[in-house]
Amino acid sequence: MESYIDALMICLQPQNFFMMYAMVVLGCLLGAIPGLSGGIGISLLLPLTFAMSKEMSFCMMLGMYVGSCSGSFIAAVLIGIPGSSASIATVFDGYPMTQKGLASKALSIGILGSSIGTFVSVIVATLLSGVLADFALTLGPWEYFSLCFMAVSMIVGLSSGSIFRSMMGACIGLFLVTIGTDPITNVTRYTFGDYHLIAGIPIVVLMLGNYAIKLVAVNYAKGQQSMPEVDSGSLKGLGLTWADIKSNLKTIVTSLVTGSFVGFLPGLGTGMAAMVSYGQAKRQSKTPEKFGTGCEEGLWASEVANNACIGGAIIPMVALGIPGDGITMMLLTALQIHGLQPGPMFMSQNPLFSNLIFAALFCSAVMIVVTELLTKRWFPYILKAPYHLLYGTILVICMVGAFTNSNTMYTVWMMFGFGIFAVLLDYAKIPLQPMLMTFILGRNLENYFRRALSYGAGDGTLFFTRPISCILLLVGIFSLLSPMIKSLIKKYKTSKTPADAT
Amino acid sequence: LKAFFNRTRISSLICIALALFIFWDGTHISRTLVNNEPGPTFFPYVAAGGLIIFSVLSAIFDGKKDNDEPYLSKEGKKRLAIILVEIVAFILGMTLFGFLPTALVMLAVIIMTLNDGKKMHMVAYVAVVVGVSCAVYFGFKYGLGVPFPKGIIWESLMS
């Protein structure tokens, strides 16, 4: 508790507080604008935090994380276009409410739903992470390898499109992470005699190329998005009463549990949490026919769940060093950049800093709810942000970000190369997420696997004879096979249906 | 033959070629084995082996379903080429002339390109070009102590 209060005090130091608030607002803007996201924001922030203290860096990045998750409902409610995948389910009932002239109420539900989701899930994360980390300390390299394998498998299995292409992406990521010096024998691999590659591919450069450069290039090539006019009606007042909250309390609690659990599982993400929670709320509702026509329950379900993912995704990141979603992947990278080693030892070795993560999330949640409630009437203006100015600015920040990584133009060219590489992967329909996930966890995968074999005198069966490792491996293998099993069942059913009919 | 070599199969072939290259280049890595562990080439080989297997499976199963709808229209490809050339020009400019002059010029060009020739608020345009370039330069250089590329030409003139 003392450590948590100390961490809270660090967050409240003027410079950290101000930067966190600025990033909360910026994150909210990025989340609100369709096509941009908190992921882009954090990938641009990563290199810029090199010169900052790790406390300030994390206050900024976590502020942006919370801001972007919260802001994504704005476009969904006002113009029926989700700011990100997290708010797809928000469109179903949020936009019809706006069309009915209830925009103010819909926005208030979005604001309060988001903040309830973030607050409660962060409190749960604060309480649970320590317990999970203590448990993780009893595990060995066999279990850690299996855990990393499971995380990668879940991302691969849940990626959109073909499982084979996702696996190809994962293999490419695994190869890319092996470039550089081998962590165990110190032998250089695949550097082609280039000393720039001895330390491996800088993750920040890979992220900037894959997210930012690709975003600008592909979005421009596919044509500019133009925003429809906002029918904001009257956005004055809260538009929401205590009775409204009370009548939806059951949906709020259920969505909190669903969102936190889905966030905890690697790869599912906020979009999935919102959809699962929306479906669950519809099933439990006494009036399911009202869903999709501007039903408050649907909006609460979606918004509470997608923000509850924040706390859920933070738990494995802090306690185990396993990212729960794309943004926590970048936060893990940031930990490494600042010389911290994510993993089960992280909480015991850095009690103050791990509490700072929770405290910063908590402060950001307070900041975003106050800001959004006070500025609600100006939300329509956010959606008028000109893309050409935003994209131009993103490119300039990318150039600086890539340069600061090594203070040479080499990394700027490398970023450009990865931008083209990401476009080519998009062309080949190979999803990026598995590649990035394997790249981030690949080093741990390799280290734990090789250490496990070394400790076990070359005995590979220990991965299966140790119960926790075996369970994790089986879950991972099932995650990989489940899309194939599903498609086989689907094929079987469709081939059986016409035969039955005849 | 053109129908057979669709987008999926071409990308599978490229991935197989990459995997073969990984195997070939891996033969140059010295294999120092420490305490029964599989050595530095094990994981790259796992990646390459996986890449071959899944590329073949993708070519067989996904290749059949690939309707090969174009990734970008002809106009889209042209636009992609233009923006990539401008990014290259930005990087070259940074190398030759340093960050600030290049950012001022290239940001103006890139914004103009991204705007697609639509009517633009000139004050906002100039404000963003000058404001962003200067804010990034001075903010990072003097605020955070981040060094910027000086540019080969300026450096040679100065020396």
Side-chain angles (χ1 to χ4, degrees):
Chain A
M1 191 63 195
E2 203 177 301
S3 171
Y4 188 83
I5 291 169
D6 289 344
L8 201 61
M9 288 299 146
I10 295 174
C11 292
L12 295 177
Q13 282 172 4
Q15 72 275 22
N16 294 341
F17 186 84
F18 174 76
M19 293 308 277
M20 184 166 28
Y21 184 68
M23 290 307 122
V24 164
V25 175
L26 188 62
C28 180
L29 297 177
L30 289 175
I33 299 168
L36 299 181
S37 65
I40 293 288
I42 294 180
S43 67
L44 292 174
L45 262 185
L46 269 177
L48 310 186
T49 60
F50 287 162
M52 296 176 189
S53 70
K54 56 180 186 277
E55 287 81 11
M56 185 187 274
S57 309
F58 267 79
C59 284
M60 287 169 74
M61 282 185 279
L62 293 165
M64 183 164 280
Y65 183 21
V66 173
S68 65
C69 277
S70 181
S72 67
F73 75 90
I74 296 172
V77 167
L78 290 180
I79 54 172
I81 299 172
S84 69
S85 62
S87 52
I88 291 172
T90 307
V91 176
F92 301 157
D93 286 295
Y95 188 53
M97 282 181 80
T98 301
Q99 286 173 315
K100 284 180 185 173
L102 296 169
S104 182
K105 191 173 191 175
L107 287 176
S108 295
I109 293 175
I111 296 168
L112 290 182
S114 306
S115 44
I116 291 171
T118 314
F119 273 126
V120 180
S121 70
V122 168
I123 291 169
V124 171
T126 312
L127 298 174
L128 279 187
S129 297
V131 180
L132 191 65
D134 286 344
F135 170 70
L137 285 174
T138 61
L139 307 176
W142 301 270
E143 285 81 15
Y144 293 140
F145 166 78
S146 305
L147 191 66
C148 294
F149 173 78
M150 186 193 76
V152 170
S153 304
M154 288 181 92
I155 293 270
V156 170
L158 290 163
S159 289
S160 57
S162 150
I163 181 76
F164 302 128
R165 291 197 186 109
S166 302
M167 286 300 297
M168 285 160 73
C171 292
I172 293 171
L174 192 59
F175 165 65
L176 290 177
V177 80
T178 60
I179 293 174
T181 308
D182 170 37
I184 292 181
T185 58
N186 276 333
V187 171
T188 54
R189 302 180 289 190
Y190 304 100
T191 57
F192 316 109
D194 188 341
Y195 70 90
H196 290 104
L197 289 173
I198 286 174
I201 293 171
I203 196 157
V204 172
V205 173
L206 184 84
M207 293 281 186
L208 286 175
N210 280 307
Y211 277 99
I213 297 287
K214 185 202 147 196
L215 172 95
V216 175
V218 173
N219 280 4
Y220 173 66
K222 287 187 173 170
Q224 296 281 300
Q225 296 125 309
S226 54
M227 290 289 121
E229 275 303 306
V230 178
D231 178 20
S232 53
S234 169
L235 292 178
K236 284 179 189 168
L238 190 62
L240 199 65
T241 60
W242 173 241
D244 289 321
I245 301 173
K246 224 168 133 184
S247 61
N248 288 293
L249 209 59
K250 194 182 157 194
T251 311
I252 294 171
V253 174
T254 319
S255 308
L256 269 171
V257 176
T258 312
S260 299
F261 182 69
V262 172
F264 179 78
L265 300 173
L268 295 178
T270 49
M272 177 70 90
M275 293 300 263
V276 171
S277 172
Y278 185 84
Q280 204 173 23
K282 194 175 175 181
R283 273 196 303 278
Q284 285 175 352
S285 174
K286 288 172 190 160
T287 53
E289 70 283 354
K290 284 188 180 170
F291 276 69
T293 61
C295 173
E296 288 176 31
E297 266 179 285
L299 191 52
W300 279 109
S302 163
E303 275 310 306
V304 171
N306 66 24
N307 282 271
C309 264
I310 294 177
I314 282 291
I315 298 172
M317 186 198 101
V318 174
L320 306 170
I322 302 283
D325 62 9
I327 294 187
T328 42
M329 271 191 218
M330 290 186 221
L331 293 174
L332 268 187
T333 308
L335 283 176
Q336 289 163 348
I337 287 171
H338 286 281
L340 297 163
Q341 185 55 48
M345 302 289 282
F346 175 72
M347 285 194 81
S348 54
Q349 284 173 346
N350 309 281
L352 182 64
F353 196 75
S354 50
N355 275 315
L356 181 106
I357 292 175
F358 300 122
L361 285 170
F362 194 82
C363 290
S364 304
V366 177
M367 287 172 179
I368 194 70
V369 67
V370 173
T371 308
E372 283 183 340
L373 284 173
L374 291 176
T375 59
K376 199 175 79 172
R377 72 174 70 175
W378 298 322
F379 282 175
Y381 295 106
I382 299 173
L383 305 173
K384 289 182 180 166
Y387 278 91
H388 55 281
L389 300 182
L390 289 172
Y391 285 173
T393 308
I394 286 175
L395 278 181
V396 172
I397 297 174
C398 278
M399 298 293 171
V400 180
F403 181 81
T404 50
N405 197 277
S406 64
N407 291 338
T408 63
M409 289 305 289
Y410 186 89
T411 39
V412 183
W413 283 110
M414 199 189 253
M415 172 192 69
F416 176 71
F418 279 119
I420 294 194
F421 183 63
V423 175
L424 290 175
L425 286 183
D426 201 28
Y427 169 83
K429 299 179 201 166
I430 295 173
L432 268 182
Q433 279 297 78
M435 188 195 85
L436 293 175
M437 185 72 168
T438 332
F439 187 84
I440 289 167
L441 289 182
R443 202 156 280 265
N444 281 342
L445 262 175
E446 184 175 13
N447 275 343
Y448 291 135
F449 182 81
R450 289 169 67 181
R451 259 191 241 165
L453 283 183
S454 183
Y455 294 166
D459 184 6
T461 58
L462 283 169
F463 287 107
F464 292 94
T465 52
R466 291 174 69 104
I468 295 172
S469 168
C470 183
I471 292 168
L472 294 170
L473 277 180
L474 290 177
V475 172
I477 292 167
F478 177 74
S479 307
L480 284 180
L481 295 179
S482 61
M484 285 181 252
I485 296 168
K486 267 186 208 161
S487 93
L488 281 176
I489 293 171
K490 208 175 159 187
K491 256 187 195 171
Y492 175 73
K493 276 184 182 168
T494 46
S495 66
K496 214 180 168 188
T497 314
D500 288 349
T502 53
Chain B
L1 199 68
K2 201 182 169 190
F4 181 80
F5 284 105
N6 53 30
R7 211 198 301 178
T8 302
R9 289 193 174 121
I10 291 172
S11 43
S12 292
L13 282 176
I14 294 170
C15 285
I16 290 170
L18 171 69
L20 292 175
F21 172 76
I22 296 169
F23 277 121
W24 173 77
D25 200 64
T27 56
H28 301 122
I29 299 170
S30 86
R31 268 169 236 157
T32 324
L33 297 184
V34 183
N35 298 332
N36 299 308
E37 62 96 12
T41 53
F42 180 75
F43 262 71
Y45 284 179
V46 167
L51 202 52
I52 290 178
I53 293 167
F54 295 112
S55 298
V56 170
L57 288 172
S58 175
I60 295 169
F61 294 104
D62 303 332
K64 264 195 273 182
K65 294 178 225 159
D66 198 343
N67 53 9
D68 234 2
E69 56 190 40
Y71 175 63
L72 288 172
S73 63
K74 205 175 168 186
E75 179 62 23
K77 283 176 195 161
K78 205 172 121 187
R79 290 160 71 93
L80 182 66
I82 290 170
I83 195 74
L84 291 179
V85 166
E86 286 180 7
I87 296 173
V88 169
F90 199 143
I91 303 174
L92 281 175
M94 268 172 80
T95 315
L96 294 173
F97 306 107
F99 176 78
L100 192 57
T102 311
L104 285 167
V105 175
M106 286 314 298
L107 186 56
V109 173
I110 287 170
I111 288 177
M112 195 79 89
T113 308
L114 292 170
N115 190 42
D116 266 341
K118 285 180 219 148
K119 203 179 156 197
M120 202 161 33
H121 196 291
M122 282 316 282
V123 178
Y125 172 61
V126 175
V128 168
V129 169
V130 178
V132 168
S133 305
C134 293
V136 168
Y137 182 75
F138 292 108
F140 282 88
K141 188 164 184 182
Y142 299 106
L144 298 172
V146 171
F148 278 85
K150 290 184 184 115
I152 295 168
I153 291 180
W154 300 136
E155 268 182 349
S156 59
L157 282 176
M158 296 289 272
S159 63

